[in-house]
Amino acid sequence: MSPAVDPDDAVFVAGHRGLVGSAIVRRLEQGGHRNLVTATRDQVDLRNQAAVAGFMDEHRPRFVYLVAGTVGGIMANSTRPAEFLYDNLMIHANVIEAAHHVGVGKLLYLGSSCIYPRLADQPIVEPALLTGPLEPTNEAYAIAKIAGIKMCDAYRVQYGCDFVSAMPTNLYGPNDNFDLQSSHVLPALIRKFDDARRAGEDRVTVWGTGRPRREFLHVDDLADACVFLMEHYDDPGPINVGYGEDVAIAELAGLVRDVVHPGASIDFDTSKPDGTPRKLLDSTRLQQLGWRPSIPLAEGIASTYDWYLEHVAPQEAR
Ligand code: GFB
């Protein structure tokens, strides 16, 4: 049984400034939590074992959301594999070990759908883990994420820790990274169409063939699922958190275009990688527990674009 969460319990959100961590903080605050523990990178470098151990010893959280990490889109993953492997392995290992050491009541670790084999049957079920070769463009990140799942399971077996692993599909929403080189596709497309609109250009270039299919989940839905899993889920191994439908990248580009710069034309740069041909999670297990997403993709794109205009876009010509 999951321990009941009291609004005064200390809850550590590791990675609270990122896309996911900031959404979990919003969700917990909306739910009335009064004792959130956070640390900026300057305060605690999560790759530093002594720093993490000291911080956890000082704050002794009862619950931990381990959603910190070095993340990025297909280009960042393929050009910076050392960082993706080292940073994420260190962060997972340090936080999980310290959580065990100080007796954390429950920890939720967040992985990624890229842990599954490149050519896994679709939609992807949890037992597909480690049944085939990984997608080369994100192998380093996937290996680090798989190690995190295995750590949670190992600490459960050897020490009886209640550490669980959730695997989200591709995410988007407020506080995403909109840098064209390192971002994921959805924020990149928002920026590209918005830049073109401002510059009076009517053509936008999308990477790859446009044929790969991806499933997109709004990060507020993911945060809601994480809080739900913290309270209702106790099993080893990954549990998928998806939206339930996927779209081709060309369709996604059309959806973003319709919101940001209607009438613009779309070109495809096939010198850029496509990555995995399709990534759609089977989220039946989570649905059977009683959770479902609530934010449709078109609505999520529109609200994320509003957020982008408010917080990221150049100040002039909004
Ligand atoms: O979102 P994305 O970078 O990550 O790319 P992955 C998804 C698809 O969109 C690929 C295409 O087929 C890209 O070629 N795409 C089209 C673009 N235009 C663009 C663009 O302007 N920027 C970007 N970034 N893509 C990531 C993994 O894979 O998924 C991570 O690298 C992580 O490890 C994440 O798992 C969820 O879905 O291919």
Side-chain angles (χ1 to χ4, degrees):
M1 276 294 290
S2 295
V5 185
D6 184 275
D8 289 317
D9 283 333
V11 179
F12 175 36
V13 181
H16 74 289
R17 285 199 165 159
L19 171 69
V20 174
S22 60
I24 289 178
V25 166
R26 283 196 300 279
R27 172 64 184 77
L28 290 171
E29 285 176 346
Q30 282 159 10
H33 274 280
R34 295 186 283 258
N35 193 1
L36 295 182
V37 177
T38 56
T40 63
R41 198 167 303 189
D42 290 343
Q43 290 165 328
V44 181
D45 182 346
L46 295 174
R47 297 168 303 182
N48 179 320
Q49 187 191 12
V52 174
F55 176 81
M56 294 286 275
D57 196 39
E58 182 185 342
H59 293 279
R60 302 208 156 244
R62 183 146 188 252
F63 297 91
V64 172
Y65 289 88
L66 175 44
V67 299
T70 293
V71 297
I74 192 164
M75 204 57 80
N77 266 271
S78 29
T79 55
R80 292 161 40 206
E83 266 176 81
F84 278 77
L85 196 49
Y86 176 80
D87 290 2
N88 290 308
L89 281 174
M90 295 300 285
I91 291 169
H92 305 156
N94 290 338
V95 175
I96 289 171
E97 167 65 15
H100 158 56
H101 190 73
V102 304
V104 162
K106 185 156 186 177
L107 176 146
L108 182 137
Y109 165 74
L110 202 73
S112 162
S113 58
C114 69
I115 59 156
Y116 292 114
R118 170 172 210 269
L119 298 178
D121 287 344
Q122 306 284 323
I124 309 171
V125 292
E126 290 88 351
L129 181 63
L130 292 173
T131 58
L134 297 165
E135 158 62 31
T137 56
N138 55 38
E139 190 183 62
Y141 184 67
I143 295 274
K145 287 289 171 190
I146 293 170
I149 298 169
K150 294 299 176 187
M151 280 196 82
C152 289
D153 290 351
Y155 278 65
R156 173 182 294 273
V157 168
Q158 188 172 343
Y159 304 125
C161 296
D162 191 358
F163 294 173
V164 298
S165 302
M167 295 309 113
T169 193
N170 287 35
L171 303 169
Y172 69 97
N175 292 317
D176 209 341
N177 168 19
F178 289 84
D179 173 76
L180 287 181
Q181 288 311 309
S182 59
S183 67
H184 289 99
V185 60
L186 200 152
L189 291 176
I190 287 179
R191 166 151 256 157
K192 284 180 179 179
F193 281 104
D194 190 61
D195 284 354
R197 181 182 65 80
R198 286 162 199 279
E201 290 164 7
D202 61 2
R203 305 198 76 83
V204 164
T205 302
V206 172
W207 293 351
T209 61
R211 288 196 294 269
R213 300 185 69 86
R214 295 289 185 273
E215 178 189 24
F216 296 94
L217 181 71
H218 192 283
V219 73
D220 286 345
D221 271 338
L222 174 76
D224 194 59
C226 289
V227 171
F228 177 88
L229 288 169
M230 188 66 105
E231 294 176 358
H232 298 102
Y233 174 76
D234 285 312
D235 291 338
I239 183 164
N240 291 339
V241 187
Y243 180 65
E245 288 169 25
D246 61 354
V247 292
I249 295 303
E251 288 174 68
L252 177 74
L255 287 171
V256 175
R257 185 251 328 266
D258 293 349
V259 169
V260 178
H261 189 13
S265 315
I266 299 170
D267 298 320
F268 294 95
D269 176 359
T270 54
S271 71
K272 296 286 196 304
D274 270 347
T276 309
R278 191 176 182 203
K279 219 169 16 172
L280 172 65
L281 293 178
D282 183 324
S283 303
T284 306
R285 284 182 66 206
L286 179 57
Q287 287 165 10
Q288 284 173 345
L289 288 173
W291 186 88
R292 278 173 202 279
S294 66
I295 305 174
L297 181 56
E299 190 183 300
I301 290 171
S303 62
T304 303
Y305 182 49
D306 287 344
W307 186 91
Y308 173 83
L309 288 176
E310 182 70 22
H311 296 91
V312 181
Q315 296 297 312
E316 76 281 7
R318 268 188 189 165

mmCIF file of all heavy atoms in Angstrom, residues 72-75 77 112-114 137-138 141 169-170 180 183-186 188-189 192 205-208 212 214 249 273-276 279, ligand 1:
data_model
loop_
_atom_site.group_PDB
_atom_site.id
_atom_site.type_symbol
_atom_site.label_atom_id
_atom_site.label_comp_id
_atom_site.label_asym_id
_atom_site.label_seq_id
_atom_site.Cartn_x
_atom_site.Cartn_y
_atom_site.Cartn_z
ATOM 1 N N GLY A 72 16.759 16.566 -23.918
ATOM 2 C CA GLY A 72 16.781 17.324 -25.164
ATOM 3 C C GLY A 72 16.176 16.516 -26.288
ATOM 4 O O GLY A 72 15.822 15.349 -26.108
ATOM 5 N N GLY A 73 16.077 17.136 -27.444
ATOM 6 C CA GLY A 73 15.499 16.494 -28.612
ATOM 7 C C GLY A 73 16.519 15.641 -29.346
ATOM 8 O O GLY A 73 17.620 15.385 -28.859
ATOM 9 N N ILE A 74 16.150 15.266 -30.548
ATOM 10 C CA ILE A 74 16.913 14.284 -31.313
ATOM 11 C C ILE A 74 18.341 14.765 -31.599
ATOM 12 O O ILE A 74 19.291 13.990 -31.546
ATOM 13 C CB ILE A 74 16.137 13.936 -32.615
ATOM 14 C CG1 ILE A 74 16.713 12.718 -33.299
ATOM 15 C CG2 ILE A 74 16.066 15.135 -33.565
ATOM 16 C CD1 ILE A 74 15.767 12.114 -34.347
ATOM 17 N N MET A 75 18.518 16.072 -31.854
ATOM 18 C CA MET A 75 19.855 16.579 -32.181
ATOM 19 C C MET A 75 20.742 16.642 -30.938
ATOM 20 O O MET A 75 21.899 16.235 -30.975
ATOM 21 C CB MET A 75 19.730 17.966 -32.826
ATOM 22 C CG MET A 75 20.900 18.337 -33.698
ATOM 23 S SD MET A 75 21.156 17.128 -35.013
ATOM 24 C CE MET A 75 19.914 17.631 -36.194
ATOM 25 N N ASN A 77 20.447 14.863 -28.242
ATOM 26 C CA ASN A 77 20.734 13.494 -27.831
ATOM 27 C C ASN A 77 21.842 12.871 -28.675
ATOM 28 O O ASN A 77 22.700 12.159 -28.162
ATOM 29 C CB ASN A 77 19.476 12.627 -27.971
ATOM 30 C CG ASN A 77 18.688 12.536 -26.684
ATOM 31 O OD1 ASN A 77 18.933 11.664 -25.859
ATOM 32 N ND2 ASN A 77 17.756 13.445 -26.498
ATOM 33 N N SER A 112 11.483 7.553 -19.747
ATOM 34 C CA SER A 112 11.142 8.096 -21.063
ATOM 35 C C SER A 112 10.755 6.929 -21.963
ATOM 36 O O SER A 112 11.275 5.814 -21.816
ATOM 37 C CB SER A 112 12.356 8.812 -21.640
ATOM 38 O OG SER A 112 12.200 8.978 -23.036
ATOM 39 N N SER A 113 9.892 7.203 -22.943
ATOM 40 C CA SER A 113 9.465 6.121 -23.836
ATOM 41 C C SER A 113 10.606 5.623 -24.728
ATOM 42 O O SER A 113 10.491 4.564 -25.339
ATOM 43 C CB SER A 113 8.288 6.574 -24.700
ATOM 44 O OG SER A 113 8.643 7.717 -25.449
ATOM 45 N N CYS A 114 11.740 6.364 -24.776
ATOM 46 C CA CYS A 114 12.860 5.902 -25.614
ATOM 47 C C CYS A 114 13.603 4.730 -24.982
ATOM 48 O O CYS A 114 14.535 4.194 -25.578
ATOM 49 C CB CYS A 114 13.817 7.039 -25.945
ATOM 50 S SG CYS A 114 14.742 7.640 -24.545
ATOM 51 N N THR A 137 19.809 7.293 -32.113
ATOM 52 C CA THR A 137 19.894 8.736 -31.832
ATOM 53 C C THR A 137 19.704 9.062 -30.355
ATOM 54 O O THR A 137 20.056 10.164 -29.926
ATOM 55 C CB THR A 137 18.854 9.547 -32.649
ATOM 56 O OG1 THR A 137 17.539 9.029 -32.383
ATOM 57 C CG2 THR A 137 19.137 9.510 -34.134
ATOM 58 N N ASN A 138 19.117 8.136 -29.578
ATOM 59 C CA ASN A 138 18.997 8.445 -28.140
ATOM 60 C C ASN A 138 19.414 7.282 -27.245
ATOM 61 O O ASN A 138 18.944 7.158 -26.121
ATOM 62 C CB ASN A 138 17.603 8.949 -27.772
ATOM 63 C CG ASN A 138 16.517 7.992 -28.190
ATOM 64 O OD1 ASN A 138 16.679 6.791 -28.100
ATOM 65 N ND2 ASN A 138 15.411 8.518 -28.653
ATOM 66 N N TYR A 141 20.894 8.278 -23.667
ATOM 67 C CA TYR A 141 19.843 8.706 -22.731
ATOM 68 C C TYR A 141 19.018 7.494 -22.283
ATOM 69 O O TYR A 141 18.700 7.340 -21.092
ATOM 70 C CB TYR A 141 18.960 9.732 -23.442
ATOM 71 C CG TYR A 141 17.885 10.354 -22.605
ATOM 72 C CD1 TYR A 141 18.206 11.195 -21.546
ATOM 73 C CD2 TYR A 141 16.547 10.124 -22.878
ATOM 74 C CE1 TYR A 141 17.205 11.787 -20.790
ATOM 75 C CE2 TYR A 141 15.546 10.717 -22.133
ATOM 76 C CZ TYR A 141 15.877 11.545 -21.087
ATOM 77 O OH TYR A 141 14.901 12.133 -20.338
ATOM 78 N N THR A 169 5.375 9.455 -22.410
ATOM 79 C CA THR A 169 5.588 9.638 -23.836
ATOM 80 C C THR A 169 6.190 11.035 -24.076
ATOM 81 O O THR A 169 6.579 11.714 -23.116
ATOM 82 C CB THR A 169 4.240 9.457 -24.558
ATOM 83 O OG1 THR A 169 4.492 9.335 -25.935
ATOM 84 C CG2 THR A 169 3.292 10.612 -24.264
ATOM 85 N N ASN A 170 6.288 11.489 -25.344
ATOM 86 C CA ASN A 170 6.856 12.822 -25.615
ATOM 87 C C ASN A 170 5.979 13.897 -24.957
ATOM 88 O O ASN A 170 4.760 13.880 -25.131
ATOM 89 C CB ASN A 170 6.934 13.075 -27.117
ATOM 90 C CG ASN A 170 8.050 12.272 -27.785
ATOM 91 O OD1 ASN A 170 8.345 11.147 -27.395
ATOM 92 N ND2 ASN A 170 8.675 12.855 -28.784
ATOM 93 N N LEU A 180 16.223 26.094 -30.794
ATOM 94 C CA LEU A 180 16.026 25.298 -32.004
ATOM 95 C C LEU A 180 16.990 24.131 -32.143
ATOM 96 O O LEU A 180 16.669 23.132 -32.776
ATOM 97 C CB LEU A 180 16.126 26.194 -33.249
ATOM 98 C CG LEU A 180 14.930 27.121 -33.473
ATOM 99 C CD1 LEU A 180 15.122 27.944 -34.734
ATOM 100 C CD2 LEU A 180 13.632 26.321 -33.548
ATOM 101 N N SER A 183 15.992 21.564 -28.583
ATOM 102 C CA SER A 183 14.633 21.273 -28.112
ATOM 103 C C SER A 183 14.043 20.028 -28.775
ATOM 104 O O SER A 183 14.584 19.507 -29.742
ATOM 105 C CB SER A 183 13.720 22.452 -28.415
ATOM 106 O OG SER A 183 13.564 22.573 -29.813
ATOM 107 N N HIS A 184 12.903 19.611 -28.240
ATOM 108 C CA HIS A 184 12.080 18.587 -28.884
ATOM 109 C C HIS A 184 11.259 19.232 -30.009
ATOM 110 O O HIS A 184 11.215 20.455 -30.142
ATOM 111 C CB HIS A 184 11.156 17.932 -27.858
ATOM 112 C CG HIS A 184 11.887 17.054 -26.888
ATOM 113 N ND1 HIS A 184 12.231 17.474 -25.619
ATOM 114 C CD2 HIS A 184 12.360 15.796 -26.995
ATOM 115 C CE1 HIS A 184 12.879 16.507 -25.002
ATOM 116 N NE2 HIS A 184 12.972 15.474 -25.802
ATOM 117 N N VAL A 185 10.588 18.368 -30.758
ATOM 118 C CA VAL A 185 9.955 18.862 -31.985
ATOM 119 C C VAL A 185 8.830 19.872 -31.734
ATOM 120 O O VAL A 185 8.739 20.880 -32.448
ATOM 121 C CB VAL A 185 9.456 17.688 -32.868
ATOM 122 C CG1 VAL A 185 8.430 16.813 -32.166
ATOM 123 C CG2 VAL A 185 8.890 18.193 -34.180
ATOM 124 N N LEU A 186 7.975 19.644 -30.743
ATOM 125 C CA LEU A 186 6.802 20.527 -30.620
ATOM 126 C C LEU A 186 7.187 21.978 -30.285
ATOM 127 O O LEU A 186 6.764 22.909 -30.975
ATOM 128 C CB LEU A 186 5.796 19.927 -29.630
ATOM 129 C CG LEU A 186 4.381 20.469 -29.759
ATOM 130 C CD1 LEU A 186 3.353 19.437 -29.308
ATOM 131 C CD2 LEU A 186 4.188 21.759 -28.996
ATOM 132 N N ALA A 188 10.057 23.284 -30.885
ATOM 133 C CA ALA A 188 10.818 23.780 -32.048
ATOM 134 C C ALA A 188 9.867 24.296 -33.116
ATOM 135 O O ALA A 188 10.100 25.357 -33.713
ATOM 136 C CB ALA A 188 11.702 22.670 -32.613
ATOM 137 N N LEU A 189 8.771 23.564 -33.346
ATOM 138 C CA LEU A 189 7.832 23.995 -34.392
ATOM 139 C C LEU A 189 7.128 25.288 -33.992
ATOM 140 O O LEU A 189 6.910 26.168 -34.830
ATOM 141 C CB LEU A 189 6.819 22.886 -34.688
ATOM 142 C CG LEU A 189 7.406 21.648 -35.377
ATOM 143 C CD1 LEU A 189 6.330 20.574 -35.535
ATOM 144 C CD2 LEU A 189 8.010 21.996 -36.739
ATOM 145 N N LYS A 192 9.655 27.952 -34.740
ATOM 146 C CA LYS A 192 9.904 28.151 -36.179
ATOM 147 C C LYS A 192 8.743 28.890 -36.854
ATOM 148 O O LYS A 192 8.955 29.805 -37.645
ATOM 149 C CB LYS A 192 10.113 26.793 -36.868
ATOM 150 C CG LYS A 192 11.484 26.182 -36.607
ATOM 151 C CD LYS A 192 11.613 24.839 -37.326
ATOM 152 C CE LYS A 192 12.990 24.240 -37.097
ATOM 153 N NZ LYS A 192 13.137 22.920 -37.750
ATOM 154 N N THR A 205 10.774 25.123 -42.387
ATOM 155 C CA THR A 205 11.425 23.836 -42.642
ATOM 156 C C THR A 205 11.327 22.926 -41.420
ATOM 157 O O THR A 205 11.711 23.312 -40.311
ATOM 158 C CB THR A 205 12.907 24.042 -43.016
ATOM 159 O OG1 THR A 205 12.943 24.884 -44.173
ATOM 160 C CG2 THR A 205 13.587 22.721 -43.313
ATOM 161 N N VAL A 206 10.823 21.737 -41.665
ATOM 162 C CA VAL A 206 10.679 20.713 -40.634
ATOM 163 C C VAL A 206 11.747 19.653 -40.879
ATOM 164 O O VAL A 206 12.000 19.284 -42.030
ATOM 165 C CB VAL A 206 9.252 20.103 -40.728
ATOM 166 C CG1 VAL A 206 9.101 18.896 -39.818
ATOM 167 C CG2 VAL A 206 8.214 21.171 -40.388
ATOM 168 N N TRP A 207 12.385 19.159 -39.811
ATOM 169 C CA TRP A 207 13.447 18.145 -39.966
ATOM 170 C C TRP A 207 12.862 16.791 -40.354
ATOM 171 O O TRP A 207 11.793 16.401 -39.876
ATOM 172 C CB TRP A 207 14.214 17.957 -38.653
ATOM 173 C CG TRP A 207 15.025 19.137 -38.237
ATOM 174 C CD1 TRP A 207 15.290 20.268 -38.959
ATOM 175 C CD2 TRP A 207 15.676 19.302 -36.973
ATOM 176 N NE1 TRP A 207 16.069 21.121 -38.226
ATOM 177 C CE2 TRP A 207 16.326 20.553 -37.004
ATOM 178 C CE3 TRP A 207 15.783 18.523 -35.817
ATOM 179 C CZ2 TRP A 207 17.063 21.042 -35.931
ATOM 180 C CZ3 TRP A 207 16.513 18.990 -34.748
ATOM 181 C CH2 TRP A 207 17.154 20.241 -34.805
ATOM 182 N N GLY A 208 13.639 16.062 -41.162
ATOM 183 C CA GLY A 208 13.283 14.677 -41.492
ATOM 184 C C GLY A 208 12.208 14.612 -42.569
ATOM 185 O O GLY A 208 11.935 15.588 -43.278
ATOM 186 N N PRO A 212 7.702 10.061 -39.375
ATOM 187 C CA PRO A 212 7.704 9.430 -38.039
ATOM 188 C C PRO A 212 6.458 9.826 -37.256
ATOM 189 O O PRO A 212 5.941 10.945 -37.422
ATOM 190 C CB PRO A 212 8.953 9.997 -37.364
ATOM 191 C CG PRO A 212 9.823 10.447 -38.460
ATOM 192 C CD PRO A 212 8.916 10.883 -39.574
ATOM 193 N N ARG A 214 4.637 10.285 -33.489
ATOM 194 C CA ARG A 214 4.905 10.498 -32.066
ATOM 195 C C ARG A 214 3.593 10.742 -31.345
ATOM 196 O O ARG A 214 2.632 11.285 -31.917
ATOM 197 C CB ARG A 214 5.821 11.717 -31.850
ATOM 198 C CG ARG A 214 7.223 11.586 -32.404
ATOM 199 C CD ARG A 214 8.061 10.597 -31.614
ATOM 200 N NE ARG A 214 9.450 10.573 -32.097
ATOM 201 C CZ ARG A 214 9.885 9.801 -33.093
ATOM 202 N NH1 ARG A 214 9.055 8.990 -33.724
ATOM 203 N NH2 ARG A 214 11.153 9.835 -33.465
ATOM 204 N N ILE A 249 4.693 13.512 -37.814
ATOM 205 C CA ILE A 249 5.317 14.823 -37.602
ATOM 206 C C ILE A 249 4.756 15.843 -38.609
ATOM 207 O O ILE A 249 4.541 17.006 -38.254
ATOM 208 C CB ILE A 249 6.856 14.716 -37.696
ATOM 209 C CG1 ILE A 249 7.404 13.844 -36.557
ATOM 210 C CG2 ILE A 249 7.503 16.104 -37.688
ATOM 211 C CD1 ILE A 249 7.062 14.303 -35.148
ATOM 212 N N PRO A 273 17.823 13.695 -39.177
ATOM 213 C CA PRO A 273 17.356 12.338 -38.822
ATOM 214 C C PRO A 273 15.876 12.286 -38.457
ATOM 215 O O PRO A 273 15.321 13.236 -37.917
ATOM 216 C CB PRO A 273 18.219 11.991 -37.597
ATOM 217 C CG PRO A 273 18.614 13.305 -37.023
ATOM 218 C CD PRO A 273 18.701 14.278 -38.160
ATOM 219 N N ASP A 274 15.280 11.133 -38.763
ATOM 220 C CA ASP A 274 13.891 10.866 -38.378
ATOM 221 C C ASP A 274 13.804 10.271 -36.970
ATOM 222 O O ASP A 274 12.793 10.413 -36.292
ATOM 223 C CB ASP A 274 13.259 9.846 -39.342
ATOM 224 C CG ASP A 274 12.580 10.503 -40.535
ATOM 225 O OD1 ASP A 274 12.371 11.740 -40.497
ATOM 226 O OD2 ASP A 274 12.253 9.776 -41.482
ATOM 227 N N GLY A 275 14.846 9.529 -36.586
ATOM 228 C CA GLY A 275 14.785 8.813 -35.302
ATOM 229 C C GLY A 275 13.846 7.620 -35.388
ATOM 230 O O GLY A 275 13.608 7.071 -36.474
ATOM 231 N N THR A 276 13.298 7.231 -34.250
ATOM 232 C CA THR A 276 12.392 6.074 -34.194
ATOM 233 C C THR A 276 11.210 6.281 -35.146
ATOM 234 O O THR A 276 10.628 7.366 -35.161
ATOM 235 C CB THR A 276 11.825 5.935 -32.763
ATOM 236 O OG1 THR A 276 12.912 5.958 -31.858
ATOM 237 C CG2 THR A 276 11.051 4.665 -32.581
ATOM 238 N N LYS A 279 6.424 5.817 -32.006
ATOM 239 C CA LYS A 279 6.549 5.671 -30.549
ATOM 240 C C LYS A 279 5.186 5.988 -29.927
ATOM 241 O O LYS A 279 4.878 7.127 -29.647
ATOM 242 C CB LYS A 279 7.615 6.658 -30.050
ATOM 243 C CG LYS A 279 8.493 6.137 -28.976
ATOM 244 C CD LYS A 279 9.720 6.975 -28.639
ATOM 245 C CE LYS A 279 9.839 8.389 -29.086
ATOM 246 N NZ LYS A 279 11.000 9.087 -28.498
HETATM 247 O O1 GFB B 1 11.100 15.583 -30.448
HETATM 248 P P1 GFB B 1 12.291 14.985 -31.093
HETATM 249 O O2 GFB B 1 13.526 15.773 -31.111
HETATM 250 O O3 GFB B 1 12.612 13.626 -30.377
HETATM 251 O O4 GFB B 1 11.943 14.631 -32.632
HETATM 252 P P2 GFB B 1 12.385 12.042 -30.537
HETATM 253 C C1 GFB B 1 10.768 13.977 -33.008
HETATM 254 C C2 GFB B 1 10.655 13.945 -34.519
HETATM 255 O O5 GFB B 1 10.407 15.260 -35.001
HETATM 256 C C3 GFB B 1 11.902 13.461 -35.274
HETATM 257 C C4 GFB B 1 11.262 15.567 -36.077
HETATM 258 O O6 GFB B 1 11.507 12.660 -36.358
HETATM 259 C C5 GFB B 1 12.523 14.764 -35.769
HETATM 260 O O7 GFB B 1 13.312 14.606 -36.927
HETATM 261 N N1 GFB B 1 11.456 17.020 -36.193
HETATM 262 C C6 GFB B 1 11.000 17.787 -37.220
HETATM 263 C C7 GFB B 1 12.095 17.837 -35.346
HETATM 264 N N2 GFB B 1 11.390 19.043 -37.078
HETATM 265 C C8 GFB B 1 12.064 19.120 -35.899
HETATM 266 C C9 GFB B 1 12.695 20.186 -35.201
HETATM 267 O O8 GFB B 1 12.716 21.337 -35.642
HETATM 268 N N3 GFB B 1 13.268 19.879 -34.013
HETATM 269 C C10 GFB B 1 13.256 18.612 -33.500
HETATM 270 N N4 GFB B 1 13.827 18.375 -32.310
HETATM 271 N N5 GFB B 1 12.699 17.565 -34.164
HETATM 272 C C11 GFB B 1 13.547 12.134 -28.256
HETATM 273 C C12 GFB B 1 14.764 11.548 -27.671
HETATM 274 O O9 GFB B 1 13.382 11.506 -29.471
HETATM 275 O O10 GFB B 1 12.384 11.911 -27.515
HETATM 276 C C13 GFB B 1 14.858 11.752 -26.230
HETATM 277 O O11 GFB B 1 15.875 12.063 -28.356
HETATM 278 C C14 GFB B 1 13.552 11.625 -25.500
HETATM 279 O O12 GFB B 1 15.743 10.797 -25.749
HETATM 280 C C15 GFB B 1 12.413 12.298 -26.200
HETATM 281 O O13 GFB B 1 13.229 10.273 -25.312
HETATM 282 C C16 GFB B 1 11.077 12.040 -25.575
HETATM 283 O O14 GFB B 1 10.966 11.691 -30.198
HETATM 284 O O15 GFB B 1 12.857 11.527 -31.854
#
